[in-house]
């Protein structure tokens, strides 16, 4: 009988294997930091040899090579001689079955780590982001993020990774992974949805279902977010025929399940509320048919979840200002944004929101200036280009 042919070389598939192999090593009792170092060495070897000789079992190959690196490291340390004798190398086909990525996710959210470290380590180990990408996502310098990740791995050194992390932290990290992928790395967004699905099978917590619903409802619009030239298209101008209605319907079903599970004596969670807002946008046949009064009511619930929403949840307050602008008029919406001037007045989203409301108010000169300032502050290229175009279009219309 002929042997099965090796799988073709696929660099994206290699990246997808990284969290699974790392999780398998950690679950087996390997130190997190040492396991990651060994896996990085295995990846270097894979990048060198796989293009010409792809293995039949890529996951088993990586696990075996990483294990050999771990064994070699132990042999170089006499103090670890006893542990070396207890270690055996699995054959290439003996990689653990199943997907351990969810286990790795909870390990990265270990109670010994600070929330910031949990986010950073998860994005590195589970999300596969580079240190620079994580730093950009968290708005900190790359050197600061590198130190944060190193401290997190040192904190886990020698600890038994058998205590689940806090679910609220896991949910927050998953959503950050999704929003990072949402800005361009669609594969990462899809991975976040996959992990969220797994999480809803492991817990009945309504907020886990709420997060999955929010991701699905947002992801249903992904094909309409950019035009054929790669330019950003805002929600009110999107071609809704491109929306994935089946995914949106699934999001609504998941949301309904979450809301039905919620205890009557507890307020609905943040992700459930945000999913309800997304569902209302998805349900509208066109921008003009959007149920803004309902959206405003949900935003009221969202800002009520924190004692001081202006400082603790300015994004919710800013979103509510847009809803106020549609329900009570753009002047009222602009007054709401003033509450945030001292908190996020130097962020591009604040100026972009004011530009939108000023445009609706009919003050095109002020709107163009707000859009231009937002473009100056934007760090995301598609957003910056969109804001530049909006500033030019609004200014041009004011001259006719």
């Amino acid at each position: 009988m002929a042997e099965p042919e090796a799988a073709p070389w696929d660099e994206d598939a290699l990246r997808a294997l990284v969290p699974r192999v790392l999780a398998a090593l950690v679950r087996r009792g390997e130190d997190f930091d040492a396991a990651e170092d060994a896996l990085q060495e295995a990846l270097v070897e894979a990048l060198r040899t796989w293009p010409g000789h792809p293995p039949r079992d890529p996951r088993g190959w990586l696990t075996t090579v990483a294990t050999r690196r771990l064994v070699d490291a132990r042999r170089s340390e006499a103090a670890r001689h006893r542990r070396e004798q207890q270690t055996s190398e699995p054959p290439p086909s003996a990689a653990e079955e199943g997907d351990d990525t969810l286990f790795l996710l909870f390990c990265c959210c270990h109670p010994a780590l600070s929330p910031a470290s949990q986010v950073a380590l998860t994005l590195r180990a589970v999300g596969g982001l580079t240190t620079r990408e994580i730093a950009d996502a968290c708005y900190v310098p790359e050197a600061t993020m590198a130190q944060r990740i190193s401290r997190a791995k040192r904190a886990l050194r020698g600890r038994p990774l058998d205590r689940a992390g806090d679910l609220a932290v896991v949910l927050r990290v998953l959503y950050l992974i999704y929003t990072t992928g949402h800005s361009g790395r669609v594969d990462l967004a899809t991975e976040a949805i996959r992990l969220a699905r797994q999480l809803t099978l492991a817990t009945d917590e309504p907020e886990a279902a709420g997060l999955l619903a929010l991701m699905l409802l947002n992801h249903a619009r992904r094909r309409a977010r950019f035009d054929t030239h790669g330019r950003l298209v805002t929600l009110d101008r999107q071609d809704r025929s491109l929306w994935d209605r089946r995914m949106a319907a699934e999001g609504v079903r998941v949301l309904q399940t979450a809301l039905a599970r919620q205890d009557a004596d507890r307020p609905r969670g943040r992700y459930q509320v945000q999913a309800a807002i997304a569902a209302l946008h998805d349900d509208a046949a066109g921008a003009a048919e959007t149920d803004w009064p309902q959206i405003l009511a949900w935003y009221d619930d969202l800002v009520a979840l924190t004692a001081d929403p202006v400082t603790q949840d300015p994004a919710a307050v800013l979103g509510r200002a847009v809803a106020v602008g549609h329900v009570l008029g753009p002047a009222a919406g602009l007054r709401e944004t003033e509450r945030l001037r001292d908190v996020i007045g130097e962020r591009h989203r604040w100026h972009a929101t004011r530009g939108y409301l000023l445009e609706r108010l009919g003050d095109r000169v002020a709107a163009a200036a707000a859009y231009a300032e937002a473009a100056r502050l934007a760090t995301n290229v598609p957003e910056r280009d969109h804001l530049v175009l909006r500033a030019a279009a609004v200014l041009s219309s004011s001259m006719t």
Side-chain angles (χ1 to χ4, degrees), residues 246-280:
R246 291 181 64 183
M247 184 177 289
E250 181 189 0
V252 171
R253 290 195 300 271
V254 174
L255 174 60
Q256 290 171 339
T257 300
L259 295 175
R261 286 179 186 166
Q262 186 68 37
D263 294 337
D265 57 346
R266 284 199 306 165
R268 294 186 178 95
R270 172 175 307 281
Y271 297 115
Q272 295 170 69
V273 174
Q274 288 179 289
I277 294 171
L280 288 166

PDB file of all heavy atoms in Angstrom, residues 246-280:
ATOM      1  N   ARG A 246     -27.485  34.963   7.049  1.00  0.00           N
ATOM      2  CA  ARG A 246     -27.527  33.735   7.835  1.00  0.00           C
ATOM      3  C   ARG A 246     -26.711  33.887   9.118  1.00  0.00           C
ATOM      4  O   ARG A 246     -27.137  33.451  10.187  1.00  0.00           O
ATOM      5  CB  ARG A 246     -26.996  32.559   7.016  1.00  0.00           C
ATOM      6  CG  ARG A 246     -27.899  32.160   5.858  1.00  0.00           C
ATOM      7  CD  ARG A 246     -27.330  30.976   5.098  1.00  0.00           C
ATOM      8  NE  ARG A 246     -27.264  29.778   5.943  1.00  0.00           N
ATOM      9  CZ  ARG A 246     -26.755  28.623   5.522  1.00  0.00           C
ATOM     10  NH1 ARG A 246     -26.283  28.502   4.288  1.00  0.00           N
ATOM     11  NH2 ARG A 246     -26.731  27.578   6.328  1.00  0.00           N
ATOM     12  N   MET A 247     -25.547  34.511   9.018  1.00  0.00           N
ATOM     13  CA  MET A 247     -24.727  34.735  10.201  1.00  0.00           C
ATOM     14  C   MET A 247     -25.418  35.699  11.152  1.00  0.00           C
ATOM     15  O   MET A 247     -25.393  35.517  12.383  1.00  0.00           O
ATOM     16  CB  MET A 247     -23.344  35.272   9.807  1.00  0.00           C
ATOM     17  CG  MET A 247     -22.396  35.431  10.993  1.00  0.00           C
ATOM     18  SD  MET A 247     -20.740  35.987  10.512  1.00  0.00           S
ATOM     19  CE  MET A 247     -20.117  34.510   9.703  1.00  0.00           C
ATOM     20  N   ALA A 248     -26.051  36.738  10.599  1.00  0.00           N
ATOM     21  CA  ALA A 248     -26.778  37.690  11.440  1.00  0.00           C
ATOM     22  C   ALA A 248     -27.925  37.000  12.168  1.00  0.00           C
ATOM     23  O   ALA A 248     -28.163  37.243  13.362  1.00  0.00           O
ATOM     24  CB  ALA A 248     -27.301  38.849  10.596  1.00  0.00           C
ATOM     25  N   ALA A 249     -28.635  36.119  11.457  1.00  0.00           N
ATOM     26  CA  ALA A 249     -29.741  35.388  12.080  1.00  0.00           C
ATOM     27  C   ALA A 249     -29.246  34.481  13.191  1.00  0.00           C
ATOM     28  O   ALA A 249     -29.883  34.347  14.240  1.00  0.00           O
ATOM     29  CB  ALA A 249     -30.491  34.577  11.025  1.00  0.00           C
ATOM     30  N   GLU A 250     -28.092  33.865  12.965  1.00  0.00           N
ATOM     31  CA  GLU A 250     -27.503  33.034  14.024  1.00  0.00           C
ATOM     32  C   GLU A 250     -27.156  33.897  15.235  1.00  0.00           C
ATOM     33  O   GLU A 250     -27.384  33.500  16.388  1.00  0.00           O
ATOM     34  CB  GLU A 250     -26.249  32.322  13.515  1.00  0.00           C
ATOM     35  CG  GLU A 250     -25.624  31.421  14.578  1.00  0.00           C
ATOM     36  CD  GLU A 250     -24.259  30.874  14.183  1.00  0.00           C
ATOM     37  OE1 GLU A 250     -23.780  31.191  13.069  1.00  0.00           O
ATOM     38  OE2 GLU A 250     -23.675  30.142  14.994  1.00  0.00           O
ATOM     39  N   GLY A 251     -26.605  35.082  14.979  1.00  0.00           N
ATOM     40  CA  GLY A 251     -26.282  35.989  16.077  1.00  0.00           C
ATOM     41  C   GLY A 251     -27.508  36.359  16.889  1.00  0.00           C
ATOM     42  O   GLY A 251     -27.459  36.421  18.126  1.00  0.00           O
ATOM     43  N   VAL A 252     -28.617  36.609  16.216  1.00  0.00           N
ATOM     44  CA  VAL A 252     -29.868  36.939  16.912  1.00  0.00           C
ATOM     45  C   VAL A 252     -30.328  35.761  17.763  1.00  0.00           C
ATOM     46  O   VAL A 252     -30.749  35.934  18.914  1.00  0.00           O
ATOM     47  CB  VAL A 252     -30.954  37.345  15.900  1.00  0.00           C
ATOM     48  CG1 VAL A 252     -32.313  37.462  16.591  1.00  0.00           C
ATOM     49  CG2 VAL A 252     -30.592  38.678  15.238  1.00  0.00           C
ATOM     50  N   ARG A 253     -30.238  34.541  17.210  1.00  0.00           N
ATOM     51  CA  ARG A 253     -30.653  33.357  17.974  1.00  0.00           C
ATOM     52  C   ARG A 253     -29.792  33.175  19.222  1.00  0.00           C
ATOM     53  O   ARG A 253     -30.315  32.888  20.313  1.00  0.00           O
ATOM     54  CB  ARG A 253     -30.576  32.107  17.094  1.00  0.00           C
ATOM     55  CG  ARG A 253     -31.627  32.035  15.996  1.00  0.00           C
ATOM     56  CD  ARG A 253     -31.716  30.632  15.416  1.00  0.00           C
ATOM     57  NE  ARG A 253     -30.462  30.187  14.841  1.00  0.00           N
ATOM     58  CZ  ARG A 253     -30.093  30.395  13.581  1.00  0.00           C
ATOM     59  NH1 ARG A 253     -30.905  31.067  12.762  1.00  0.00           N
ATOM     60  NH2 ARG A 253     -28.953  29.938  13.119  1.00  0.00           N
ATOM     61  N   VAL A 254     -28.495  33.356  19.070  1.00  0.00           N
ATOM     62  CA  VAL A 254     -27.591  33.222  20.220  1.00  0.00           C
ATOM     63  C   VAL A 254     -27.896  34.297  21.259  1.00  0.00           C
ATOM     64  O   VAL A 254     -27.898  34.044  22.471  1.00  0.00           O
ATOM     65  CB  VAL A 254     -26.121  33.296  19.764  1.00  0.00           C
ATOM     66  CG1 VAL A 254     -25.179  33.315  20.962  1.00  0.00           C
ATOM     67  CG2 VAL A 254     -25.784  32.123  18.849  1.00  0.00           C
ATOM     68  N   LEU A 255     -28.162  35.525  20.786  1.00  0.00           N
ATOM     69  CA  LEU A 255     -28.503  36.619  21.705  1.00  0.00           C
ATOM     70  C   LEU A 255     -29.786  36.312  22.465  1.00  0.00           C
ATOM     71  O   LEU A 255     -29.867  36.534  23.684  1.00  0.00           O
ATOM     72  CB  LEU A 255     -28.652  37.922  20.925  1.00  0.00           C
ATOM     73  CG  LEU A 255     -29.152  39.128  21.727  1.00  0.00           C
ATOM     74  CD1 LEU A 255     -28.199  39.464  22.868  1.00  0.00           C
ATOM     75  CD2 LEU A 255     -29.352  40.333  20.812  1.00  0.00           C
ATOM     76  N   GLN A 256     -30.795  35.820  21.775  1.00  0.00           N
ATOM     77  CA  GLN A 256     -32.058  35.482  22.435  1.00  0.00           C
ATOM     78  C   GLN A 256     -31.852  34.425  23.519  1.00  0.00           C
ATOM     79  O   GLN A 256     -32.446  34.497  24.602  1.00  0.00           O
ATOM     80  CB  GLN A 256     -33.075  35.011  21.402  1.00  0.00           C
ATOM     81  CG  GLN A 256     -33.571  36.120  20.482  1.00  0.00           C
ATOM     82  CD  GLN A 256     -34.412  35.601  19.328  1.00  0.00           C
ATOM     83  OE1 GLN A 256     -34.331  34.425  18.955  1.00  0.00           O
ATOM     84  NE2 GLN A 256     -35.225  36.479  18.750  1.00  0.00           N
ATOM     85  N   THR A 257     -30.983  33.460  23.241  1.00  0.00           N
ATOM     86  CA  THR A 257     -30.658  32.441  24.246  1.00  0.00           C
ATOM     87  C   THR A 257     -29.994  33.073  25.456  1.00  0.00           C
ATOM     88  O   THR A 257     -30.321  32.746  26.607  1.00  0.00           O
ATOM     89  CB  THR A 257     -29.716  31.379  23.634  1.00  0.00           C
ATOM     90  OG1 THR A 257     -30.365  30.757  22.537  1.00  0.00           O
ATOM     91  CG2 THR A 257     -29.343  30.329  24.670  1.00  0.00           C
ATOM     92  N   ALA A 258     -29.051  34.002  25.207  1.00  0.00           N
ATOM     93  CA  ALA A 258     -28.362  34.669  26.309  1.00  0.00           C
ATOM     94  C   ALA A 258     -29.328  35.483  27.161  1.00  0.00           C
ATOM     95  O   ALA A 258     -29.289  35.426  28.394  1.00  0.00           O
ATOM     96  CB  ALA A 258     -27.256  35.571  25.755  1.00  0.00           C
ATOM     97  N   LEU A 259     -30.205  36.230  26.514  1.00  0.00           N
ATOM     98  CA  LEU A 259     -31.156  37.066  27.253  1.00  0.00           C
ATOM     99  C   LEU A 259     -32.123  36.205  28.060  1.00  0.00           C
ATOM    100  O   LEU A 259     -32.525  36.578  29.165  1.00  0.00           O
ATOM    101  CB  LEU A 259     -31.923  37.962  26.278  1.00  0.00           C
ATOM    102  CG  LEU A 259     -31.087  39.014  25.531  1.00  0.00           C
ATOM    103  CD1 LEU A 259     -31.947  39.754  24.519  1.00  0.00           C
ATOM    104  CD2 LEU A 259     -30.444  39.999  26.512  1.00  0.00           C
ATOM    105  N   ALA A 260     -32.490  35.041  27.520  1.00  0.00           N
ATOM    106  CA  ALA A 260     -33.408  34.153  28.231  1.00  0.00           C
ATOM    107  C   ALA A 260     -32.753  33.540  29.468  1.00  0.00           C
ATOM    108  O   ALA A 260     -33.426  33.242  30.456  1.00  0.00           O
ATOM    109  CB  ALA A 260     -33.894  33.047  27.293  1.00  0.00           C
ATOM    110  N   ARG A 261     -31.428  33.357  29.422  1.00  0.00           N
ATOM    111  CA  ARG A 261     -30.702  32.769  30.554  1.00  0.00           C
ATOM    112  C   ARG A 261     -30.439  33.772  31.670  1.00  0.00           C
ATOM    113  O   ARG A 261     -30.179  33.393  32.802  1.00  0.00           O
ATOM    114  CB  ARG A 261     -29.347  32.223  30.083  1.00  0.00           C
ATOM    115  CG  ARG A 261     -29.404  30.951  29.281  1.00  0.00           C
ATOM    116  CD  ARG A 261     -27.992  30.577  28.895  1.00  0.00           C
ATOM    117  NE  ARG A 261     -27.935  29.444  27.989  1.00  0.00           N
ATOM    118  CZ  ARG A 261     -26.845  29.107  27.297  1.00  0.00           C
ATOM    119  NH1 ARG A 261     -25.747  29.836  27.416  1.00  0.00           N
ATOM    120  NH2 ARG A 261     -26.875  28.054  26.503  1.00  0.00           N
ATOM    121  N   GLN A 262     -30.451  35.052  31.333  1.00  0.00           N
ATOM    122  CA  GLN A 262     -30.069  36.084  32.301  1.00  0.00           C
ATOM    123  C   GLN A 262     -31.012  36.102  33.491  1.00  0.00           C
ATOM    124  O   GLN A 262     -32.232  36.131  33.344  1.00  0.00           O
ATOM    125  CB  GLN A 262     -30.076  37.461  31.617  1.00  0.00           C
ATOM    126  CG  GLN A 262     -29.563  38.591  32.482  1.00  0.00           C
ATOM    127  CD  GLN A 262     -28.073  38.458  32.773  1.00  0.00           C
ATOM    128  OE1 GLN A 262     -27.308  38.030  31.914  1.00  0.00           O
ATOM    129  NE2 GLN A 262     -27.682  38.799  33.985  1.00  0.00           N
ATOM    130  N   ASP A 263     -30.443  36.101  34.693  1.00  0.00           N
ATOM    131  CA  ASP A 263     -31.248  36.177  35.909  1.00  0.00           C
ATOM    132  C   ASP A 263     -31.975  37.510  35.972  1.00  0.00           C
ATOM    133  O   ASP A 263     -31.404  38.564  35.648  1.00  0.00           O
ATOM    134  CB  ASP A 263     -30.372  36.030  37.158  1.00  0.00           C
ATOM    135  CG  ASP A 263     -29.744  34.644  37.251  1.00  0.00           C
ATOM    136  OD1 ASP A 263     -30.308  33.718  36.640  1.00  0.00           O
ATOM    137  OD2 ASP A 263     -28.704  34.503  37.914  1.00  0.00           O
ATOM    138  N   ALA A 264     -33.221  37.463  36.430  1.00  0.00           N
ATOM    139  CA  ALA A 264     -34.035  38.682  36.479  1.00  0.00           C
ATOM    140  C   ALA A 264     -33.483  39.689  37.480  1.00  0.00           C
ATOM    141  O   ALA A 264     -33.699  40.902  37.338  1.00  0.00           O
ATOM    142  CB  ALA A 264     -35.475  38.326  36.830  1.00  0.00           C
ATOM    143  N   ASP A 265     -32.767  39.214  38.506  1.00  0.00           N
ATOM    144  CA  ASP A 265     -32.270  40.124  39.545  1.00  0.00           C
ATOM    145  C   ASP A 265     -30.883  40.687  39.205  1.00  0.00           C
ATOM    146  O   ASP A 265     -30.294  41.391  40.014  1.00  0.00           O
ATOM    147  CB  ASP A 265     -32.224  39.409  40.893  1.00  0.00           C
ATOM    148  CG  ASP A 265     -31.363  38.150  40.860  1.00  0.00           C
ATOM    149  OD1 ASP A 265     -31.024  37.707  39.750  1.00  0.00           O
ATOM    150  OD2 ASP A 265     -31.041  37.625  41.940  1.00  0.00           O
ATOM    151  N   ARG A 266     -30.353  40.369  38.030  1.00  0.00           N
ATOM    152  CA  ARG A 266     -29.053  40.911  37.612  1.00  0.00           C
ATOM    153  C   ARG A 266     -29.221  41.717  36.338  1.00  0.00           C
ATOM    154  O   ARG A 266     -30.002  41.347  35.453  1.00  0.00           O
ATOM    155  CB  ARG A 266     -28.057  39.776  37.332  1.00  0.00           C
ATOM    156  CG  ARG A 266     -27.483  39.123  38.567  1.00  0.00           C
ATOM    157  CD  ARG A 266     -26.203  38.374  38.189  1.00  0.00           C
ATOM    158  NE  ARG A 266     -26.391  37.438  37.093  1.00  0.00           N
ATOM    159  CZ  ARG A 266     -25.386  36.901  36.404  1.00  0.00           C
ATOM    160  NH1 ARG A 266     -24.141  37.235  36.675  1.00  0.00           N
ATOM    161  NH2 ARG A 266     -25.630  36.046  35.425  1.00  0.00           N
ATOM    162  N   PRO A 267     -28.494  42.835  36.203  1.00  0.00           N
ATOM    163  CA  PRO A 267     -28.571  43.581  34.934  1.00  0.00           C
ATOM    164  C   PRO A 267     -27.946  42.779  33.804  1.00  0.00           C
ATOM    165  O   PRO A 267     -27.064  41.954  34.031  1.00  0.00           O
ATOM    166  CB  PRO A 267     -27.761  44.857  35.228  1.00  0.00           C
ATOM    167  CG  PRO A 267     -26.815  44.465  36.320  1.00  0.00           C
ATOM    168  CD  PRO A 267     -27.567  43.468  37.168  1.00  0.00           C
ATOM    169  N   ARG A 268     -28.439  43.018  32.602  1.00  0.00           N
ATOM    170  CA  ARG A 268     -27.850  42.346  31.449  1.00  0.00           C
ATOM    171  C   ARG A 268     -26.398  42.776  31.291  1.00  0.00           C
ATOM    172  O   ARG A 268     -26.046  43.924  31.537  1.00  0.00           O
ATOM    173  CB  ARG A 268     -28.633  42.684  30.181  1.00  0.00           C
ATOM    174  CG  ARG A 268     -30.057  42.144  30.176  1.00  0.00           C
ATOM    175  CD  ARG A 268     -30.717  42.388  28.828  1.00  0.00           C
ATOM    176  NE  ARG A 268     -32.055  41.832  28.787  1.00  0.00           N
ATOM    177  CZ  ARG A 268     -33.162  42.513  29.040  1.00  0.00           C
ATOM    178  NH1 ARG A 268     -33.072  43.802  29.345  1.00  0.00           N
ATOM    179  NH2 ARG A 268     -34.343  41.937  28.971  1.00  0.00           N
ATOM    180  N   GLY A 269     -25.558  41.848  30.859  1.00  0.00           N
ATOM    181  CA  GLY A 269     -24.137  42.133  30.721  1.00  0.00           C
ATOM    182  C   GLY A 269     -23.814  43.012  29.535  1.00  0.00           C
ATOM    183  O   GLY A 269     -24.622  43.200  28.619  1.00  0.00           O
ATOM    184  N   ARG A 270     -22.607  43.530  29.554  1.00  0.00           N
ATOM    185  CA  ARG A 270     -22.144  44.468  28.522  1.00  0.00           C
ATOM    186  C   ARG A 270     -22.238  43.864  27.124  1.00  0.00           C
ATOM    187  O   ARG A 270     -22.670  44.538  26.180  1.00  0.00           O
ATOM    188  CB  ARG A 270     -20.700  44.857  28.845  1.00  0.00           C
ATOM    189  CG  ARG A 270     -19.995  45.688  27.780  1.00  0.00           C
ATOM    190  CD  ARG A 270     -18.637  46.112  28.276  1.00  0.00           C
ATOM    191  NE  ARG A 270     -18.773  46.756  29.569  1.00  0.00           N
ATOM    192  CZ  ARG A 270     -19.171  48.007  29.737  1.00  0.00           C
ATOM    193  NH1 ARG A 270     -19.450  48.745  28.676  1.00  0.00           N
ATOM    194  NH2 ARG A 270     -19.279  48.522  30.946  1.00  0.00           N
ATOM    195  N   TYR A 271     -21.812  42.616  26.967  1.00  0.00           N
ATOM    196  CA  TYR A 271     -21.800  42.033  25.625  1.00  0.00           C
ATOM    197  C   TYR A 271     -23.211  41.755  25.126  1.00  0.00           C
ATOM    198  O   TYR A 271     -23.488  41.876  23.928  1.00  0.00           O
ATOM    199  CB  TYR A 271     -20.957  40.763  25.617  1.00  0.00           C
ATOM    200  CG  TYR A 271     -19.511  41.029  25.955  1.00  0.00           C
ATOM    201  CD1 TYR A 271     -18.935  40.510  27.107  1.00  0.00           C
ATOM    202  CD2 TYR A 271     -18.732  41.845  25.138  1.00  0.00           C
ATOM    203  CE1 TYR A 271     -17.612  40.774  27.427  1.00  0.00           C
ATOM    204  CE2 TYR A 271     -17.412  42.117  25.457  1.00  0.00           C
ATOM    205  CZ  TYR A 271     -16.853  41.579  26.607  1.00  0.00           C
ATOM    206  OH  TYR A 271     -15.549  41.861  26.926  1.00  0.00           O
ATOM    207  N   GLN A 272     -24.118  41.400  26.025  1.00  0.00           N
ATOM    208  CA  GLN A 272     -25.504  41.208  25.611  1.00  0.00           C
ATOM    209  C   GLN A 272     -26.110  42.518  25.116  1.00  0.00           C
ATOM    210  O   GLN A 272     -26.810  42.554  24.100  1.00  0.00           O
ATOM    211  CB  GLN A 272     -26.326  40.673  26.778  1.00  0.00           C
ATOM    212  CG  GLN A 272     -25.910  39.287  27.248  1.00  0.00           C
ATOM    213  CD  GLN A 272     -26.591  38.917  28.546  1.00  0.00           C
ATOM    214  OE1 GLN A 272     -27.800  38.705  28.579  1.00  0.00           O
ATOM    215  NE2 GLN A 272     -25.829  38.864  29.631  1.00  0.00           N
ATOM    216  N   VAL A 273     -25.819  43.608  25.827  1.00  0.00           N
ATOM    217  CA  VAL A 273     -26.363  44.914  25.436  1.00  0.00           C
ATOM    218  C   VAL A 273     -25.772  45.352  24.101  1.00  0.00           C
ATOM    219  O   VAL A 273     -26.495  45.820  23.203  1.00  0.00           O
ATOM    220  CB  VAL A 273     -26.090  45.959  26.533  1.00  0.00           C
ATOM    221  CG1 VAL A 273     -26.533  47.348  26.061  1.00  0.00           C
ATOM    222  CG2 VAL A 273     -26.807  45.581  27.823  1.00  0.00           C
ATOM    223  N   GLN A 274     -24.466  45.210  23.944  1.00  0.00           N
ATOM    224  CA  GLN A 274     -23.837  45.596  22.679  1.00  0.00           C
ATOM    225  C   GLN A 274     -24.347  44.738  21.526  1.00  0.00           C
ATOM    226  O   GLN A 274     -24.520  45.235  20.399  1.00  0.00           O
ATOM    227  CB  GLN A 274     -22.319  45.467  22.797  1.00  0.00           C
ATOM    228  CG  GLN A 274     -21.687  46.533  23.682  1.00  0.00           C
ATOM    229  CD  GLN A 274     -20.178  46.352  23.789  1.00  0.00           C
ATOM    230  OE1 GLN A 274     -19.692  45.425  24.414  1.00  0.00           O
ATOM    231  NE2 GLN A 274     -19.446  47.243  23.161  1.00  0.00           N
ATOM    232  N   ALA A 275     -24.597  43.467  21.796  1.00  0.00           N
ATOM    233  CA  ALA A 275     -25.150  42.596  20.758  1.00  0.00           C
ATOM    234  C   ALA A 275     -26.557  43.033  20.370  1.00  0.00           C
ATOM    235  O   ALA A 275     -26.927  42.975  19.188  1.00  0.00           O
ATOM    236  CB  ALA A 275     -25.156  41.145  21.247  1.00  0.00           C
ATOM    237  N   ALA A 276     -27.350  43.481  21.340  1.00  0.00           N
ATOM    238  CA  ALA A 276     -28.702  43.960  21.035  1.00  0.00           C
ATOM    239  C   ALA A 276     -28.644  45.191  20.131  1.00  0.00           C
ATOM    240  O   ALA A 276     -29.453  45.331  19.200  1.00  0.00           O
ATOM    241  CB  ALA A 276     -29.444  44.276  22.330  1.00  0.00           C
ATOM    242  N   ILE A 277     -27.690  46.069  20.380  1.00  0.00           N
ATOM    243  CA  ILE A 277     -27.519  47.249  19.523  1.00  0.00           C
ATOM    244  C   ILE A 277     -27.120  46.823  18.115  1.00  0.00           C
ATOM    245  O   ILE A 277     -27.661  47.316  17.113  1.00  0.00           O
ATOM    246  CB  ILE A 277     -26.465  48.200  20.130  1.00  0.00           C
ATOM    247  CG1 ILE A 277     -26.974  48.784  21.460  1.00  0.00           C
ATOM    248  CG2 ILE A 277     -26.103  49.315  19.149  1.00  0.00           C
ATOM    249  CD1 ILE A 277     -25.923  49.549  22.241  1.00  0.00           C
ATOM    250  N   ALA A 278     -26.158  45.879  18.030  1.00  0.00           N
ATOM    251  CA  ALA A 278     -25.728  45.388  16.715  1.00  0.00           C
ATOM    252  C   ALA A 278     -26.879  44.714  15.973  1.00  0.00           C
ATOM    253  O   ALA A 278     -27.011  44.856  14.751  1.00  0.00           O
ATOM    254  CB  ALA A 278     -24.564  44.414  16.886  1.00  0.00           C
ATOM    255  N   ALA A 279     -27.729  43.990  16.711  1.00  0.00           N
ATOM    256  CA  ALA A 279     -28.867  43.313  16.084  1.00  0.00           C
ATOM    257  C   ALA A 279     -29.843  44.308  15.477  1.00  0.00           C
ATOM    258  O   ALA A 279     -30.399  44.069  14.401  1.00  0.00           O
ATOM    259  CB  ALA A 279     -29.580  42.429  17.111  1.00  0.00           C
ATOM    260  N   LEU A 280     -30.055  45.424  16.139  1.00  0.00           N
ATOM    261  CA  LEU A 280     -30.953  46.447  15.612  1.00  0.00           C
ATOM    262  C   LEU A 280     -30.399  47.062  14.328  1.00  0.00           C
ATOM    263  O   LEU A 280     -31.145  47.371  13.391  1.00  0.00           O
ATOM    264  CB  LEU A 280     -31.207  47.523  16.665  1.00  0.00           C
ATOM    265  CG  LEU A 280     -32.110  47.086  17.830  1.00  0.00           C
ATOM    266  CD1 LEU A 280     -32.027  48.075  18.982  1.00  0.00           C
ATOM    267  CD2 LEU A 280     -33.560  46.946  17.356  1.00  0.00           C
TER     268      LEU A 280
END
